[in-house]
Amino acid sequence: MRLTEDLTAKLSGAFRYLADDPPEGCLHAAVLRSPLPHARIEALDLSPALAMPGVVAAISAADMPAGLKLGLRMRDQPPMADGVARMIGEPIAAVAATTEAEARAALAAIRLTLVPLPIVSDPEAALAHDAPQLHPHGNLCARFDHARGDADAALPGAAHRVDVALRTPRQMHVAMETECGVAFPTAEGLTIRAPGHDPAGVAAAAAEITGLSPQRIAVQASPVGGSFGGKEDLHVQPMLALLALRAGAPVRLALSREDSVAAGIKRHPFRIALSAGCDASGRLTALTVDALADTGAYASHGPEVLDTGMENAPGPYAIPDLRLTGRLAYTNNGNAGAFRGFGAVQTECAIEAAVEALAKKAGLHPVDFRRLNLAPDAGPLGQRIAPRPELHAILDAMAALPPAAETAPRRHVLGIGWALVSKGEGFAQGGPNGGAGALALEADGTLTLRAGLVDMGQSLRASAAALLARALGAAEADCDAILGGNADGDAGPTSASRGAQIAGRLIAAGAEAFRAALLARAEAAFGEGPWRLVPGGLAGPGDNAPRIGFPALAAAAGAIRVPVAVPAIETDPGPVPAHGLFASCGARAVVAVDRVTGAARCLALDILPACGPAILREVYEGQVAGGALQAVGFCLTEDLPCEAGRFAASNLDGYFIPTLADAPAVRVHALDALAPSDPVGRRGVGEIALNAAAPAILNALADALGGIPAALPLRAGEALDLLAARRAAEKRR
Amino acid sequence: MIRFMLDDAPMECADPATRLSALLAPLPGSAVRTPCGIGRCGGCTVLVDGAAVPACLALVGRLDGARVETAAGIARRRPDLARVLAEEASVQCGFCAPGLLAAAAAADAADAAGARPDAEEIAERLTGNLCRCSGYQGLRRAIARIAAGEG
């Protein structure tokens, strides 16, 4: 399939998502959610709901396996609130009925008694010894400690020093498709169609919940109408699985935007105190980072987000003495988890702000300061990594950028900022870094990659089809990717920018065996060739065009499936989780701040990713632009404040993602070359642009305002205070 | 009984208080989805007698005798408009796409004097269509082509 065919189907509405067109007789689910941020469930009686017209099933935690908790590193989350609700929006009960109206009416009939408990609404207060404990193991969900040398002792002696205090926003994914799905019982057991990142993980969790073995649970998790990490966790799948089995019928649930805002995953707000010092020539000497992140009611990906944030806090720089101290606290402030950028974007903003400020103090151009301090071949925690010569190439390209052409509109002040980031790709040591799938000749003759990887808008399907075509010498129209299922082995989650990498490696690993199988099948069905694979089919000796089309081959020879697997790329096991493969990117941002109102706009972004050759150029550039716009939101317009456990907005009338009018010009300068010895030859480009653009925009704001803002998104009041302080300082000079 | 044309086929609905999105979204093969439900994202945009309307804010009672078009009908009537948007990779996951196509079909309409809008005017008419995936760069390129007469 080709990309424009895919996009045309999406524009016309012909393209189907997983909750579209539910099966005949599908029931509608509705969920009763906690109205309180912290409460004990004193009484819960579903029987009046079951007596309501049209209601076929009703469930709560009592219907789940007793004491079941799900999660990743920390299994701390019951699929439905079990005796206590720890956040507004937590599911307490769910019903399935023949119409949506009947399901909603049934919720109103449920008898629920909640006893309010004290609310933990601040992550710092959560860690006080006398705070109400939200979990049996206390309120400290995770910690990260790493040090080399003695940074606290070295800092006072630095020739130049900068202290950065930064709070980052509770950003919301706002995928246009909310959490949704359909589950239905089958002869084998159960089928769950719901957008997500990890079909094998969903099957495993559904097995725990229902008692069915994972082999009897078919999951379809692709395509997804946007995720950015918001659909990485289980969302409606646990309730749908149980309701479908209880009801003996298909059940569908699509969250309203209000329920998604209340109960869906958010980005972790971080509070960062960073101090960095350098010598008189500009060489970094010491770094301390203290970070506190708010994970809300449950761990979700919080421990990994903290680890990744702290690992990336030193940036790609050589720093002899450093101390990294991170804490992750539970609160009743909703639930935070995976979001593109993944902890690193928060700390990268802080280190890049410090680097830019130190460059100024040392009298060096920001690009030259970074070049002086670059450590391309050593991991930030001292771990063994694949070398990163592309970091030098990025800096060269940044230095070679033409001067920003944008000028300050009337009564605005312009600011220019730079950033260089390098973020670990895939999961840290010990994570699910390998993958399995299959290459297949389908019954209709399509050549496919079959894998549990997920297309969530990053065009993984079109990219994989293109890679397969190139590997085999077939046409793109001959090829496709069948994604998101759990029937062809476990490809691992599609996250951490690894989707395209794993797809590419599976295809590279399986192409020769698959080609051999096709040619052998052709010989068996059509006699001696020798046959060779060409666009459109198989050609014999002397043929200029295919003699046997792939559909004819499939019809004669039957479908073929060749399993393939690739191992994890190893790194040093160390005391803290660390990555061995890094993706790097540079950025320059131009912003304009209105001197009178304090409003800020991003005018332009130059993004310089070094991710190896693009599979499809328009997909590569589209991913960069999409990530860059999320950075614009992170820095300028997006936040979901939480007061006493209650979010300040309930829908998109109170939470503002960038519109077409907010979009800067985004210029992509792709650097294709990685080290010749690079183990993979490519990096996913899905995240890194966001990681680079956000600190560049922050640095541009600092340049315009004469000081680093203490909080993102930038508020007009702080902008005006910083501008006033700079005017006062200039007057004194 | 309210009767209107839906993508050139007759449609009827007995309850005038029905939201158009609630009527259209559950239809098999529907091109209408509601990302926000409160008219803030543009994702459910349809054309009502040629004007862009969020289906989640339209009540069926106002549609008697109207001609309603979803992206399905617009793509048949204006395949080149869809082609330009697709060629410039204006969308990625596609969930915003049907609403975007409908809004684009209305955005390049000429005014009463027959003057066609320029790129800036078309862009202004599309600021109500949120897209979280694309970063809007492809859409900007498509708007330049549409303003130049393509699609």
Side-chain angles (χ1 to χ4, degrees):
Chain A
M1 57 90 59
R2 288 197 198 82
L3 184 63
T4 44
E5 281 165 21
D6 176 61
L7 299 184
T8 303
K10 286 166 175 170
L11 287 157
S12 73
F15 189 88
R16 309 322 287 160
Y17 299 87
L18 292 167
D20 289 341
D21 311 324
E24 187 94 27
C26 192
L27 304 173
H28 299 267
V31 182
L32 181 67
R33 298 180 179 276
S34 175
L36 298 176
H38 194 201
R40 192 175 74 246
I41 300 170
E42 183 146 284
L44 177 64
D45 184 5
L46 306 187
S47 54
L50 278 162
M52 295 282 287
V55 176
V56 179
I59 60 170
S60 69
D63 299 286
M64 299 275 176
L68 175 66
K69 295 203 180 166
L70 301 171
L72 297 141
R73 188 182 306 179
M74 319 237 353
R75 292 179 61 115
D76 63 353
Q77 184 169 15
M80 301 181 76
D82 190 2
V84 62
R86 295 182 175 90
M87 55 181 268
I88 290 178
E90 185 163 4
I92 293 177
V95 304
T98 49
T99 69
E100 278 189 52
E102 286 167 338
R104 276 196 298 273
L107 288 190
I110 292 174
R111 278 199 280 269
L112 171 65
T113 306
L114 291 174
V115 175
L117 294 172
I119 299 167
V120 179
S121 61
D122 180 272
E124 198 133 359
L127 297 181
H129 71 276
D130 57 351
Q133 299 296 285
L134 300 180
H135 286 273
H137 47 281
N139 292 344
L140 180 66
C141 179
R143 59 189 295 156
F144 182 105
D145 296 281
H146 180 84
R148 65 171 169 260
D150 188 344
D152 292 277
L155 264 173
H160 303 291
R161 173 185 174 144
V162 67
D163 302 295
V164 176
L166 185 67
R167 291 188 177 207
T168 64
R170 180 178 290 101
Q171 190 177 25
M172 185 163 55
H173 307 73
V174 193
M176 287 298 124
E177 178 199 49
T178 60
E179 298 87 332
C180 60
V182 178
F184 46 94
T186 61
E188 294 74 37
L190 183 66
T191 293
I192 304 172
R193 284 186 349 211
H197 292 233
D198 184 7
V202 170
E208 286 192 71
I209 289 164
T210 61
L212 291 170
S213 76
Q215 292 73 29
R216 293 160 72 73
I217 301 175
V219 177
Q220 184 55 41
S222 185
V224 179
S227 172
F228 321 107
K231 294 172 179 140
E232 229 170 297
D233 289 33
L234 298 167
H235 44 87
V236 301
Q237 302 95 328
M239 292 185 284
L240 284 183
L242 202 55
L243 281 171
L245 288 178
R246 284 294 164 90
V251 182
R252 177 184 186 271
L253 175 61
L255 294 197
S256 64
R257 182 62 60 179
E258 285 84 4
D259 279 353
S260 179
V261 169
I265 293 295
K266 310 293 181 290
R267 187 187 293 285
H268 287 78
F270 269 59
R271 293 177 194 171
I272 302 167
L274 182 152
S275 297
C278 69
D279 65 21
S281 72
R283 274 197 201 276
L284 289 163
T285 54
L287 173 73
T288 62
V289 183
D290 291 89
L292 174 63
D294 179 354
T295 203
Y298 297 105
S300 176
H301 281 81
E304 292 80 5
V305 165
L306 181 70
D307 288 344
T308 303
M310 301 315 291
E311 182 190 19
N312 285 278
Y317 307 116
I319 308 175
D321 291 272
L322 66 78
R323 176 181 61 74
L324 308 171
T325 306
R327 300 285 180 271
L328 182 71
Y330 288 114
T331 65
N332 297 118
N333 299 336
N335 200 186
F339 195 142
R340 200 184 206 178
F342 209 77
V345 64
Q346 294 93 317
T347 57
E348 282 155 345
C349 280
I351 183 67
E352 289 299 292
V355 156
E356 203 111 310
L358 282 175
K360 226 170 243 168
K361 291 193 182 206
L364 291 171
H365 188 282
V367 173
D368 294 329
F369 183 95
R370 289 176 171 91
R371 196 195 305 280
L372 181 65
N373 287 287
L374 212 56
D377 299 331
L381 305 180
Q383 77 269 37
R384 181 168 52 100
I385 64 168
R388 303 177 286 185
E390 59 272 16
L391 285 168
H392 280 291
I394 293 171
L395 287 175
D396 291 342
M398 284 162 75
L401 284 174
E406 288 75 22
T407 54
R410 193 176 67 86
R411 88 176 198 205
H412 283 66
V413 56
L414 212 70
I416 296 180
W418 304 84
L420 180 67
V421 301
S422 189
K423 177 182 173 291
E425 187 190 88
F427 309 109
Q429 173 67 14
N433 281 316
L439 299 183
L441 173 71
E442 304 291 333
D444 69 355
T446 312
L447 305 171
T448 63
L449 168 71
R450 285 176 159 264
L453 302 170
V454 172
D455 191 323
M456 52 196 80
Q458 84 284 41
S459 298
L460 186 58
R461 182 181 169 192
S463 297
L467 286 174
L468 186 60
R470 290 173 208 169
L472 298 176
E476 269 182 48
D478 299 326
C479 299
D480 204 344
I482 295 179
L483 301 176
N486 61 330
D488 289 282
D490 185 357
T494 304
S495 60
S497 301
R498 69 190 285 274
Q501 190 224 109
I502 295 294
R505 290 176 65 210
L506 287 172
I507 289 167
E512 283 325 298
F514 183 55
R515 181 202 307 278
L518 287 170
L519 298 181
R521 205 61 82 87
E523 268 194 36
F526 298 102
E528 284 239 8
W531 299 100
R532 64 186 196 286
L533 215 153
V534 298
L538 299 172
D543 289 336
N544 289 325
R547 192 186 301 191
I548 303 166
F550 294 116
L553 175 63
I560 300 171
R561 198 175 291 198
V562 173
V564 61
V566 293
I569 293 170
E570 291 308 320
T571 182
D572 252 330
V576 291
H579 291 78
L581 202 63
F582 281 73
S584 304
C585 188
R588 182 184 70 183
V590 182
V591 303
V593 182
D594 186 324
R595 285 181 225 270
V596 174
T597 66
R601 289 177 47 214
C602 183
L603 302 181
L605 283 165
D606 287 280
I607 312 286
L608 304 96
C611 290
I615 303 169
L616 294 171
R617 179 66 53 186
E618 59 272 62
V619 170
Y620 183 108
E621 293 185 353
Q623 286 294 291
V624 170
L629 263 285
Q630 288 184 334
V632 170
F634 180 85
C635 293
L636 300 181
T637 66
E638 294 183 47
D639 194 11
L640 193 54
C642 197
E643 197 71 41
R646 188 170 302 274
F647 291 140
S650 62
N651 203 321
L652 302 185
D653 54 348
Y655 184 92
F656 306 104
I657 70 172
T659 70
L660 175 59
D662 300 303
V666 178
R667 300 181 283 256
V668 183
H669 313 265
L671 288 89
D672 286 358
L674 297 172
S677 59
D678 192 83
V680 180
R682 165 179 290 122
R683 305 283 186 271
V685 76
E687 267 182 293
I688 201 69
L690 193 163
N691 289 81
I697 296 170
L698 174 61
N699 281 339
L701 293 173
D703 183 46
L705 299 170
I708 304 167
L712 292 175
L714 176 73
R715 279 159 178 92
E718 179 166 23
L720 293 174
D721 288 344
L722 286 167
L723 285 172
R726 185 165 76 171
R727 277 197 301 275
E730 280 163 4
K731 277 207 180 83
R732 286 194 295 271
R733 274 202 278 277
Chain B
M1 182 66 72
I2 294 104
R3 294 189 175 82
F4 57 94
M5 295 302 285
L6 178 68
D7 292 330
D8 294 325
M11 185 72 182
E12 59 181 39
C13 179
D15 179 8
T18 306
R19 268 174 218 271
L20 184 57
S21 58
L23 180 67
L24 299 186
L27 298 175
S30 176
V32 176
R33 301 182 188 92
T34 54
C36 79
I38 59 167
R40 292 300 296 238
C41 73
C44 68
T45 304
V46 296
L47 297 185
V48 178
D49 295 325
V53 169
C56 69
L57 296 182
L59 294 185
V60 160
R62 301 284 222 110
L63 299 180
D64 200 43
R67 186 170 149 250
V68 176
E69 273 189 297
T70 72
I74 296 164
R76 284 193 293 271
R77 181 166 61 82
R78 297 190 61 179
D80 287 335
L81 181 63
R83 183 181 50 78
V84 170
L85 288 166
E87 282 174 359
E88 295 301 339
S90 305
V91 298
Q92 292 179 12
C93 86
F95 213 78
C96 74
L100 179 64
L101 180 67
D108 74 342
D111 69 13
R116 297 203 62 251
D118 62 16
E120 205 175 308
E121 281 164 328
I122 295 173
E124 193 164 314
R125 295 171 187 176
L126 294 180
T127 55
N129 287 80
L130 298 182
C131 174
R132 192 50 153 167
C133 292
S134 72
Y136 302 110
Q137 306 298 300
L139 178 58
R140 274 223 182 103
R141 291 191 299 268
I143 289 171
R145 290 174 62 180
I146 293 163
E150 286 194 61

